[in-house]
Amino acid sequence: MRIIILGPPGAGKGTQAKLLSSHYGIPHISTGDIIREEIKRNTVLGVKIRGYVERGELVPDEDVIEIVKEKILLGNCGRGFVLDGFPRTIIQAKALDHILSGMGLRIDAVINLVVNEEELVRRISGRRICRSCGATYHLLFNPPEKDLKCSVCGGELYQRIDDMEETVRRRVRIYNIETKPLIGYYEEKGLLINVNGVGDINSVFSEILRKLGS
Ligand code: ADP
Ligand code: AMP
C-alpha cells in the first residue's frame, strides 16, 4: 500500500496517517515531523530551513524531495508507506513519480481530506504536540489523559510556533495556491479518493478504510 494523504493544514492528515500506518504495518513518512526534528537538532538542513517553517512558508522543493527520496530508498518501505505532508507542489509530485517509477513502483491511492476553513482554525488553535515523541493532541477533541502531558511518553506538550493565527492564515493561503492543484493532478491519474474529514477521528478513519476497500 503506497498512500498519500492530502488536505489543508489541520485537516487531520497526521492523525489519520498514524492510524493507517499501524493498520497496514507500513511506515508513516511525515515531512513536517522530519523537518521539525532537523530544526530541533540544529542540523545544517535544520538551520537552513527554520525560517521558512516559522514564517509558515514552504521549504524549498529540492530539500524536501531529498528528504523523501532518502526515506523511500533507505526506509523500511518494502510493504509500502503513507506519505503525510508531501507532495505539496506539482514539482514535488512529479519528482515523487520519478523516484517511484525508477524503482518500478507507483502510488496506489491519494486520500483527500475535505474540511471547511472554520473547522481548520478550531483544530489548529487547539493542537498541541509532545516535545519528546511528537504525538499530536487537541485540547478539546483529542485531549491527553493527564493535563498537558503526553499519554504515550509523559513528555511536555507545546503549541507549534507556526500554529499562531497569523501564520496559519498564510499557510492556508499557500495551500490554496501551491498544494490545491494536486487534487486535479491525482484526479486525472484516477487515484483521488475524497473523504469528508469532518466528524470524530474514528469515523473519518472508518470512512477511509471503507473507501480504500479493506
Ligand atoms: P494535519 O496533519 O493535517 O495538519 P493533524 O492530524 O495534526 O492535522 O490534526 C490537527 C488537529 O486537529 C490536531 O490537534 C488533532 O488532534 C485534531 N484532529 C484531527 N482529526 C480530528 C477530527 N476528526 N476531529 C477533531 N479534531 C481532529
Ligand atoms: P506540517 O507538519 O505538514 O504542517 O508541515 C509543517 C511545515 O513544514 C510546513 O508549513 C512547511 O514549512 C514545512 N513542510 C512540510 N512538508 C513540506 C513539503 N512537502 N514542502 C515544503 N515544505 C514542507
Side-chain angles (χ1 to χ4, degrees):
M1 260 305 197
R2 283 175 291 275
I3 308 172
I4 292 172
I5 303 223
L6 272 187
K13 299 183 296 298
T15 303
Q16 298 298 329
K18 285 186 184 95
L19 293 171
L20 282 166
S21 161
S22 33
H23 181 84
Y24 289 114
I26 52 178
H28 167 206
I29 303 176
S30 157
T31 44
D33 285 353
I34 296 168
I35 283 168
R36 278 185 288 280
E37 188 60 28
E38 293 283 335
I39 292 173
K40 186 166 124 189
R41 285 170 38 222
N42 253 318
T43 62
V44 174
L45 178 63
V47 170
K48 179 185 169 197
I49 63 185
R50 177 192 294 268
Y52 295 99
V53 177
E54 290 185 351
R55 290 190 298 271
E57 294 165 6
L58 295 184
V59 165
D61 285 329
E62 62 269 23
D63 293 320
V64 196
I65 290 167
E66 204 45 50
I67 288 174
V68 170
K69 190 174 176 181
E70 195 172 305
K71 276 277 169 196
I72 292 179
L73 291 176
L74 306 176
N76 187 21
C77 293
R79 299 182 54 199
F81 51 75
V82 48
L83 269 177
D84 153 23
F86 182 95
R88 258 176 157 102
T89 63
I90 294 281
I91 289 177
Q92 293 178 17
K94 290 187 170 162
L96 177 64
D97 290 342
H98 185 71
I99 294 165
L100 291 178
S101 65
M103 301 167 76
L105 303 173
R106 59 191 289 280
I107 292 296
D108 295 307
V110 178
I111 309 287
N112 181 38
L113 289 178
V114 181
V115 176
N116 61 67
E117 204 159 322
E118 202 182 316
E119 177 70 10
L120 294 178
V121 172
R122 256 201 304 271
R123 289 189 184 179
I124 291 186
S125 59
R127 173 159 60 188
R128 296 293 183 274
I129 311 283
C130 172
R131 220 179 265 292
S132 310
C133 75
T136 301
Y137 298 89
H138 190 284
L139 294 179
L140 299 176
F141 308 139
N142 181 25
E145 284 153 20
K146 268 198 187 162
D147 247 8
L148 289 184
K149 292 276 178 239
C150 176
S151 311
V152 179
C153 74
E156 179 202 3
L157 302 188
Y158 76 103
Q159 183 169 29
R160 279 169 46 173
I161 193 162
D162 57 339
D163 278 354
M164 304 298 165
E165 199 178 324
E166 270 306 298
T167 317
V168 168
R169 285 219 194 88
R170 174 180 289 163
R171 285 164 58 207
V172 172
R173 252 192 336 264
I174 292 176
Y175 163 82
N176 284 324
I177 297 167
E178 301 276 357
T179 310
K180 226 176 181 177
L182 293 180
I183 295 175
Y185 181 85
Y186 287 116
E187 198 163 29
E188 266 178 31
K189 289 179 182 284
L191 294 174
L192 195 77
I193 300 175
N194 286 307
V195 170
N196 177 12
V198 182
D200 65 66
I201 291 172
N202 289 327
S203 12
V204 175
F205 184 55
S206 306
E207 184 65 5
I208 292 177
L209 288 185
R210 194 180 67 76
K211 291 200 164 167
L212 281 174
S214 57

